Amino acid sequence: MEEDDVTIREQNFHSQVREYIICFLLFAVLYIVSYFIITRYKRKSDDHEDEDAVVNRISLYLCTFTLAVSGGAVSLLPFSIISNEILLSFPQNYYIQWLNGSLIHGLWNLVSLFSNLCLFVLMPFAYFFLESEGFAGSKKGIKARILETFVMLFLLALLILGIVWVASALIDNDVASMESLYDLWEFYLPYLYSCISLMGGLLLLMCTPVGLSRMFTVMGQLLVKPTILEDLDEQIYCIHLQEETLQRRLNGSSTHAYTRGSFAHQLNKELDNIRNQRNKLERRKKASGWEKNLLYPIVMLILLTGTTISVLLVALNILYLLVDETAMPKGSTDRAIGNTSLSTFGVAQAVLEIVLIFYLMVSSVVGFYSLRVFEGLTPRKDDTTMTTIIGCCVSILVLSSALPVMSRTLGITRFDLLGDFGRFNWLGNFYIVLSYNLLFAVVTTLCLVRKFTSAVREELLKALGLDKLQLSNSPTDPESGKLSANGHQKTL
């Protein structure tokens, strides 16, 4: 009997060690990828080792950790779905015994814990540490900056806890809720994270439909469009003439002192825009036939198909919500996995769900940076400040943490939310879930209709040459022969 107990304890010990090693390896891969992504966009600094360099390095490591956690949050639901299908297909396979329910639940709990840690501790610390200089009258240095940072964090925590306390007291005024107001760990943090998740869900609701329509423009810029009723040689010739005109004006302006400064800077900017247009036209001319006539339509068709399937799944989920209460998103405490398939069509539907989840995440990021409110957070290669990187990491963390909840709420997948992700209070509200689905379907449809109608109108005008008529009707500049921002010469 004692030997059996020892054997069970040994098995549990080895299982725990194996899960820790797997979690560490997965996080190490995400951390390395995140580090290369951030260093690609981070502004290059001098090699001189000083106080600011140390602060920037610490902030860089914290941002890398946060971005790695965001990657883990994005991969949670796809990894769980594919793991469930693998265990269902190969239940007795010896080489996949490490893939079990305990590991999946552990990953969900770790991502939830680290998301709270990054959102409420690490990222505020990185921002305040980066902006701190030490209190007035104190000795300057790293210790003074750390002290100021901790004081700011303490004041921020008091402010947030006070806001949550007042809000919860106003919303729930029963006896049980009033008693729970003094429970920090079991009430404050879950309630606060539930509010952050709701904000992330609303942010996804605002960004994803915009991103789904914006994806067509982004892919159109990366790929070569087919040449239909267009004379590329004529366009390249006109661009060359405009470039030579601007170059002569720039050379002439350098000899006059009163034309230097802002005017020369504007000419240089217009010249760069024209050269970019010329490079794009030359790339379109040199592109092969299959790239122009086959690859571009296939990619556009794939994007259209993915968007259409997403909207159809949301419409079906709305019907399920109206007739079946089991369609409501909920959390699961069952640690067993691989017992039943949550996909009607098996592995094929599971793969489709995974593709749609990643597609929605990419679209939400594209839509986030397409909104005018968040244009200032757009990262630029080798020219992004640490403050902007912190803002980007926080935004991506909020979006990625809300992605599993949004995917389950919209009915993209039937996989129940695990860990603390299924404990959000607003998930049990039928009207919030139904309104969320209706808004997503309606806003996405409207964005796509507006996108395609405007795109078709622009392409028809360009193909028929009517876009030049609009250009000729534009107001003229007081200076003779001055070019507009898009590089075309305005009518005198």
Side-chain angles (χ1 to χ4, degrees):
M1 186 67 181
E2 293 180 357
E3 293 180 357
D4 295 337
D5 294 338
V6 172
T7 304
I8 293 175
R9 289 199 299 270
E10 289 179 352
Q11 291 177 355
N12 293 332
F13 173 76
H14 291 303
S15 298
Q16 290 292 329
V17 172
R18 182 177 63 241
E19 291 176 9
Y20 292 152
I21 293 175
I22 293 173
C23 293
F24 174 78
L25 292 177
L26 292 176
F27 184 79
V29 173
L30 291 174
Y31 189 91
I32 294 173
V33 174
S34 301
Y35 180 80
F36 281 112
I37 292 175
I38 292 181
T39 52
R40 177 180 176 84
Y41 291 97
K42 179 181 176 296
R43 178 177 295 175
K44 304 301 180 183
S45 58
D46 299 332
D47 295 332
H48 181 66
E49 186 72 17
D50 55 0
E51 180 181 325
D52 291 333
V54 175
V55 172
N56 283 330
R57 189 179 300 112
I58 295 175
S59 301
L60 173 64
Y61 294 153
L62 296 179
C63 290
T64 306
F65 183 86
T66 303
L67 191 60
V69 173
S70 303
V74 173
S75 306
L76 269 183
L77 205 52
F79 184 75
S80 303
I81 293 173
I82 197 64
S83 299
N84 183 73
E85 296 299 327
I86 290 176
L87 291 175
L88 192 64
S89 302
F90 309 99
Q92 302 298 330
N93 195 315
Y94 174 77
Y95 296 100
I96 59 172
Q97 293 301 312
W98 57 273
L99 196 62
N100 50 38
S102 178
L103 174 64
I104 302 300
H105 277 263
L107 288 174
W108 282 75
N109 291 329
L110 285 176
V111 169
S112 177
L113 175 63
F114 288 154
S115 298
N116 284 286
L117 180 65
C118 294
L119 193 59
F120 300 124
V121 179
L122 297 186
M123 285 296 94
F125 177 85
Y127 177 76
F128 290 133
F129 190 44
L130 195 66
E131 298 294 331
S132 64
E133 296 179 355
F135 292 109
S138 62
K139 184 178 179 180
K140 302 299 181 181
I142 298 294
K143 292 183 179 180
R145 299 180 72 161
I146 292 177
L147 178 61
E148 181 184 354
T149 302
F150 277 112
V151 171
M152 294 298 297
L153 283 177
F154 178 73
L155 295 176
L156 179 64
L158 289 180
L159 177 63
I160 293 177
L161 290 178
I163 293 175
V164 174
W165 195 91
V166 173
S168 59
L170 292 176
I171 295 174
D172 298 325
N173 54 4
D174 56 331
V175 179
S177 299
M178 296 299 293
E179 292 179 354
S180 64
L181 291 176
Y182 304 97
D183 193 345
L184 177 64
W185 187 258
E186 293 295 332
F187 174 76
Y188 271 107
L189 293 182
Y191 184 80
L192 184 59
Y193 192 60
S194 179
C195 296
I196 297 296
S197 173
L198 181 59
M199 293 175 56
L202 295 177
L203 185 61
L204 279 175
L205 181 61
M206 181 172 55
C207 298
T208 307
V210 178
L212 289 174
S213 60
R214 179 69 178 168
M215 284 290 291
F216 294 92
T217 304
V218 173
M219 296 307 298
Q221 295 174 352
L222 297 177
L223 301 176
V224 179
K225 296 181 180 180
T227 304
I228 303 175
L229 299 178
E230 288 187 88
D231 190 351
L232 295 180
D233 293 330
E234 180 182 357
Q235 296 183 24
I236 293 175
Y237 178 72
C238 294
I239 289 292
H240 273 298
L241 292 179
Q242 295 173 11
E243 184 179 356
E244 291 175 359
T245 303
L246 269 180
Q247 190 65 52
R248 285 196 299 268
R249 293 189 64 204
L250 189 61
N251 294 334
S253 65
S254 61
T255 59
H256 301 283
Y258 67 91
T259 57
R260 297 175 183 174
S262 61
F263 181 67
H265 176 72
Q266 184 179 2
L267 288 178
N268 283 319
K269 186 176 180 180
E270 294 174 355
L271 185 60
D272 291 338
N273 292 332
I274 288 181
R275 286 174 178 173
N276 291 332
Q277 293 182 17
R278 177 172 57 82
N279 293 332
K280 292 179 181 179
L281 290 174
E282 291 178 351
R283 179 171 177 263
R284 291 182 62 186
K285 184 179 179 180
K286 295 178 182 179
S288 59
W290 74 270
E291 185 179 358
K292 292 187 294 185
N293 302 322
L294 186 61
L295 181 62
Y296 181 85
I298 288 177
V299 172
M300 292 295 112
L301 185 61
I302 291 174
L303 293 178
L304 181 61
T305 303
T307 306
T308 305
I309 293 175
S310 301
V311 175
L312 289 177
L313 288 176
V314 174
L316 289 176
N317 189 56
I318 293 174
L319 295 178
Y320 288 146
L321 288 172
L322 295 175
V323 300
D324 188 4
E325 62 179 6
T326 59
M328 288 286 294
K330 59 182 183 300
S332 176
T333 57
D334 187 10
R335 302 188 69 86
I337 191 173
N339 295 331
T340 58
S341 177
L342 301 175
S343 305
T344 307
F345 300 100
V347 179
Q349 184 175 346
V351 173
L352 178 62
E353 292 174 356
I354 293 173
V355 172
L356 289 179
I357 290 172
F358 282 117
Y359 178 52
L360 290 178
M361 183 60 198
V362 174
S363 301
S364 65
V365 174
V366 172
F368 176 81
Y369 289 114
S370 299
L371 297 176
R372 294 182 180 179
V373 182
F374 305 110
E375 282 183 351
L377 292 177
T378 304
R380 296 174 178 83
K381 183 180 178 181
D382 297 332
D383 192 28
T384 307
T385 61
M386 280 305 305
T387 305
T388 306
I389 291 177
I390 292 173
C392 292
C393 291
V394 172
S395 304
I396 294 177
L397 178 63
V398 173
L399 292 174
S400 59
S401 299
L403 180 66
V405 182
M406 186 195 74
S407 301
R408 181 63 183 89
T409 304
L410 296 177
I412 303 298
T413 179
R414 295 295 173 186
F415 194 92
D416 291 330
L417 301 173
L418 304 179
D420 292 334
F421 286 89
R423 296 173 55 188
F424 299 141
N425 299 329
W426 60 273
L427 288 176
N429 193 313
F430 172 78
Y431 297 102
I432 292 180
V433 174
L434 182 62
S435 302
Y436 195 91
N437 282 263
L438 287 173
L439 284 174
F440 182 87
V442 172
V443 175
T444 303
T445 304
L446 291 177
C447 289
L448 288 178
V449 170
R450 181 178 178 275
K451 172 65 181 177
F452 279 103
T453 53
S454 62
V456 171
R457 183 174 64 252
E458 291 176 0
E459 291 297 330
L460 286 177
L461 291 176
K462 185 183 297 185
L464 298 175
L466 298 178
D467 57 330
K468 299 178 182 178
L469 296 179
Q470 297 179 349
L471 183 62
S472 62
N473 293 329
S474 58
T476 59
D477 291 341
E479 283 192 55
S480 174
K482 187 175 180 179
L483 299 179
S484 62
N486 59 2
H488 296 282
Q489 190 169 4
K490 295 184 176 181
T491 307
L492 298 178

